[in-house]
Amino acid sequence: MRASLTMAERKTGLGLAAALALLGLVMAAAARQGAMAVHGAMALALGLVLVFRLGAALYDAPAAIPDRQGRYDDAPTRFGIVMTLVWAMIGMAAGVWVAALLYWPEATPLWPATSFGRLRPVHTTAIIFGFGGNALIATSFHVLQRTSRARLADALSPWVVLIGFNLFCAWAVTGYLMGSTQSKEYAEAEWYADLWLVAVWLVYFALYIRTLARRAEPHIYVANWYYMAFILVVAILHIVNNIALPVSLAGARSFPVWAGVQDAMIQWWYGHNAVAFFLTAGFLGMLYYFLPVRSGRPIWSYRLSILSFWGIVFFYIWVGSHHLHYTALPYWVQTLGMTFSVMLLVPSWASAGNAIATLNGAWHKVRDDATLRFMFVAAVFYGLSTFEGSFLAIRPVNSLSHYTDWTVGHVHSGTLGWVAMIIFGALYTLVPQLSGREAMAWPRAVEWHFWLAVTGTLVYVVSMWNAGITQGLMWRTYDDSGALSYSFLQSVQAMAPYYLLRAIGGAMFLTGAAICALNCRATMRAAPAGAGARDRPLTLQPAE
Amino acid sequence: MPLRLHYNLEKLSMGLVAAIIVAASIGGLVEIAPLFTIDETVAVPKDLRPLTPLELAGREIYIREGCYACHSQMVRSLADEIDRYGPYSLAGESAYDHPMLWGSKRTGPDLARLGGKYSDRWHVDHLTDPRAVVPASIMPAYPWLARPLETGNLGPELATLARLGVPYDPGMIANAAADALAQARPDSPGAEAARGRYGERFAARDFDGNPAELTEMDALVAYLQSLGTQTRAPYEVLAEGIE
């Protein structure tokens, strides 16, 4: 971080770090105990570390690289990639552990922080925000600069975004371990963490717009449309869903202002669009850049990109209510959610089809290059899981699938098969490039990772399909006398083999991701001294 | 023509920003805004009572331990669910729930109609060691619930909920901690005052069988025993439907 900053930026950074330390001190002093005090102490510690590092850098020479404007700013992307892999390990390990607990429940240690209910949001938050979010931010900085042929608008903002975002993730995850949670799914973090994320997000949006304003390309490339939709709509969703009244400004506890059926609708409007704009739009941005780059083929259809982009932005927002079929939510809202979910298949498959058709003429590369194969498999799983999603949103299908492990299987076919695969494809493209190398340090390990990831995903998803359909059928089966055939407990017992298989599939996926993390580390360490990306931005010509 | 339009839109970053915000706002506005204006959406049952302070403390433990990750509180209007759990859930039942705990997954059974189904003793044994009472259960054990309940924050919490529209009056807010203790000690002097504030329709007894201490177990079991008992409306609606 420090090497790329000028003296003036180091001083500003020092001020920001001191402000963070002060904020942490105030939080810790006001709360005195509980999650908020611990989180204050974390912010204080982070602020102090940054103060010392930036303070020391004030006495370092040389101040900065002379022709800075003639280079892309890649240091934040490198840091973001490291954090992506760190959170991947935390989130996937937590996932495998809670999956195992469902098979061996007596293995739960008698320590509250290791209980299923507290670790489940650790898994989801570490994966969605930690792993997915860091990957999105890191790649967005890279893609934004390359497709605009301009350097990031300033050197400090990307660090504020990345460090601030990771502090949010760390606050959220440690809060759940201490029992501090709002209990709103995928938005469990408490009020002050939510406010903090809003501030970080504003810096992110401003940086994006300011960099676009400096672009040397007249058109904004399609990948940036998706990254912008991700930034904008996630902000709207996050703010509305998390409006809460704290019990006291000196404590973590708060109550959401929404209650009952309104809260349910807002929660799933948020929840499903976290899938849409966090786990889909952002990653489609990643796909639209890294797939053409790696395959050496242009995107197959420009018109299809436009159609699918606006289709996704407009249709997705409507579909959240399909999470509430047959509940106390008004019937007409359920019907709207179902209808739009089915229509959503059109732009979703337009995107998937566009990605796969882009590979036409490059199939020999897909065969030989595991990195490109990751992206191809991601596009295929994207198509499959969006079809499954539209299907599960149909009311009678949902009556069987809802509340069962089928939903869990569906989500993981999206997150493992699509989101994680496209991240790995992007990382394997990006890491060598940023390290000034032709290839990863261990090319064979990429192949191993690919097969572990694909097999793990299939084992996971197929076992959860079986589990979910079995549960759904057992719950609704009547015998000849008109009584329910199975007790709930019998349906739990029937799950045992599937839960075991799921844990095995997850462990395979985790193993592959660990290989990826080690491979990326080895590649980054093997970078020649002073190596950086070889491509250069267009330097702006001074006016006559 | 539309392609031409888009061709130009791609050159304007703020134009794209505005178009994305408009396109992404319509669906939410159409689906969410009416829920706040149509009176019939949430017909709050006349007999709906808010949770007592002890039950509210139990609800917070339920949230803290992530029980909602495996247990729903929403019986759908499907025959097998009504036969298995009881009358289907009404929107008004959760009108005071900040946040709602409808849940999205049933690794364990639905709990919307749990109140009164099992004895306090069963709940205590089950939460302490689920496999002692249900050998095939895969629920985690919660032995740490035997620790004392922290009641100091209950007053401010009731006050916050009152500001959000839950009918807690100033007397309830002022006496929240005392009422929590009184609910678990029905023979104590404070019990009569608690009855005066909350009426007769809540269970008052020593839930965890340990009269020496007010524990988190007391609170959680009181909450579990309250589920589905805050109003009779779902039973009446179902009975009308059958007639």
Side-chain angles (χ1 to χ4, degrees), chain A residues 446-467:
Chain A
V446 182
E447 201 70 47
W448 274 92
H449 178 198
F450 175 79
W451 289 109
L452 277 168
V454 172
T455 318
T457 305
L458 287 175
V459 170
Y460 190 114
V461 173
V462 173
S463 64
M464 286 299 97
W465 281 339
N466 281 289

Side-chain angles (χ1 to χ4, degrees), chain B:
Chain B
M1 181 58 200
L3 207 60
R4 189 79 217 160
L5 202 72
H6 202 276
Y7 185 83
N8 291 322
L9 181 66
E10 281 166 29
K11 298 179 186 173
L12 294 170
S13 55
M14 290 319 274
L16 271 173
V17 166
I20 289 169
I21 291 177
V22 170
S25 298
I26 297 170
L29 288 174
V30 171
E31 290 188 351
I32 295 172
L35 298 184
F36 288 91
T37 54
I38 302 173
D39 287 340
E40 303 90 80
T41 306
V42 188
V44 180
K46 285 199 186 61
D47 64 340
L48 182 68
R49 69 166 179 86
L51 292 175
T52 63
L54 188 63
E55 291 160 357
L56 182 70
R59 187 175 200 265
E60 295 189 358
I61 294 165
Y62 184 96
I63 288 173
R64 181 187 79 194
E65 300 300 342
C67 305
Y68 59 87
C70 295
H71 293 284
S72 57
Q73 291 186 22
M74 172 48 61
V75 181
R76 295 180 294 172
S77 51
L78 298 168
D80 59 291
E81 300 216 349
I82 296 168
D83 287 344
R84 188 180 296 279
Y85 301 115
Y88 60 85
S89 300
L90 304 179
E93 279 183 88
S94 47
Y96 299 150
D97 286 4
H98 296 266
M100 58 86 205
L101 294 174
W102 292 9
S104 60
K105 177 70 172 54
R106 285 180 186 155
T107 305
D110 187 275
L111 302 182
R113 305 281 171 247
L114 183 67
K117 212 167 178 175
Y118 301 92
S119 67
D120 295 340
R121 178 67 195 276
W122 184 91
H123 279 300
V124 173
D125 291 348
H126 182 244
L127 288 163
T128 310
D129 179 10
R131 277 154 294 284
V133 267
V134 185
S137 169
I138 59 169
M139 192 171 104
Y142 296 93
W144 56 84
L145 295 178
R147 66 191 174 198
L149 179 71
E150 180 63 55
T151 55
N153 212 23
L154 280 172
E157 285 174 7
L158 256 60
T160 309
L161 285 169
R163 287 175 66 192
L164 294 173
V166 182
Y168 289 119
D169 61 38
M172 293 170 168
I173 294 166
N175 296 289
D179 288 347
L181 181 65
Q183 187 176 357
R185 305 285 176 270
D187 302 327
S188 70
E192 198 54 39
R195 289 256 177 240
R197 281 186 279 273
Y198 291 93
E200 297 296 319
R201 287 181 27 249
F202 68 91
R205 51 189 187 253
D206 178 20
F207 293 94
D208 69 349
N210 169 16
E213 249 181 336
L214 184 65
T215 63
E216 293 191 339
M217 186 66 85
D218 278 314
L220 184 55
V221 175
Y223 172 63
L224 294 176
Q225 295 291 21
S226 81
L227 290 173
T229 68
Q230 287 169 274
T231 166
R232 295 291 305 162
Y235 295 88
E236 286 154 14
V237 169
L238 193 67
E240 279 166 29
I242 290 166
E243 284 162 20

Side-chain angles (χ1 to χ4, degrees), chain A residues 151-336:
Chain A
R151 188 183 162 88
L152 288 175
D154 79 286
L156 221 45
S157 305
W159 292 106
V160 172
V161 173
L162 277 165
I163 294 173
F165 182 75
N166 280 288
L167 179 63
F168 165 80
C169 295
W171 272 356
V173 164
T174 51
Y176 314 148
L177 294 178
M178 291 181 277
S180 175
T181 167
Q182 284 192 128
S183 85
K184 290 173 80 80
E185 279 188 78
Y186 318 117
E188 292 94 343
E190 274 295 357
W191 62 274
Y192 51 86
D194 289 334
L195 285 175
W196 175 256
L197 185 61
V198 171
V200 169
W201 221 244
L202 286 176
V203 177
Y204 187 21
F205 176 67
L207 175 64
Y208 218 90
I209 288 293
R210 284 162 59 216
T211 307
L212 277 179
R214 297 156 56 111
R215 71 187 182 278
E217 291 281 339
H219 285 265
I220 299 171
Y221 181 62
V222 50
N224 291 315
W225 312 348
Y226 280 105
Y227 281 121
M228 273 160 63
F230 151 65
I231 296 170
L232 286 169
V233 187
V234 166
I236 299 173
L237 297 165
H238 173 78
I239 291 169
V240 175
N241 186 46
N242 283 304
I243 299 177
L245 200 55
V247 173
S248 144
L249 289 178
R253 190 81 187 97
S254 70
F255 291 100
V257 298
W258 317 119
V261 66
Q262 288 101 343
D263 185 38
M265 182 62 229
I266 290 169
Q267 162 60 33
W268 289 111
W269 166 78
Y270 167 87
H272 201 85
N273 287 301
V275 174
F277 289 91
F278 213 104
L279 297 178
T280 303
F283 291 98
L284 281 171
M286 208 183 273
L287 178 95
Y288 269 105
Y289 179 78
F290 288 101
L291 183 78
V293 162
R294 188 74 187 190
S295 65
R297 308 276 311 163
I299 286 293
W300 182 63
S301 165
Y302 167 64
R303 287 167 196 239
L304 218 49
S305 322
I306 296 176
L307 175 88
S308 51
F309 176 74
W310 291 106
I312 283 172
V313 171
F314 181 71
F315 286 167
Y316 244 120
I317 272 296
W318 297 76
V319 308
S321 52
H322 71 222
H323 288 255
L324 300 166
H325 280 319
Y326 297 101
T327 67
L329 183 77
Y331 199 72
W332 66 268
V333 189
Q334 302 176 20
T335 307
L336 266 181

Side-chain angles (χ1 to χ4, degrees), chain A residues 42 75 97 117 131 229 234 290 305 433 445-446 470 474 477:
Chain A
M42 285 165 66
W97 169 246
F131 174 54
V234 166
F290 288 101
S305 322
Q433 194 190 333
V446 182
T470 307
M474 286 178 85
T477 304

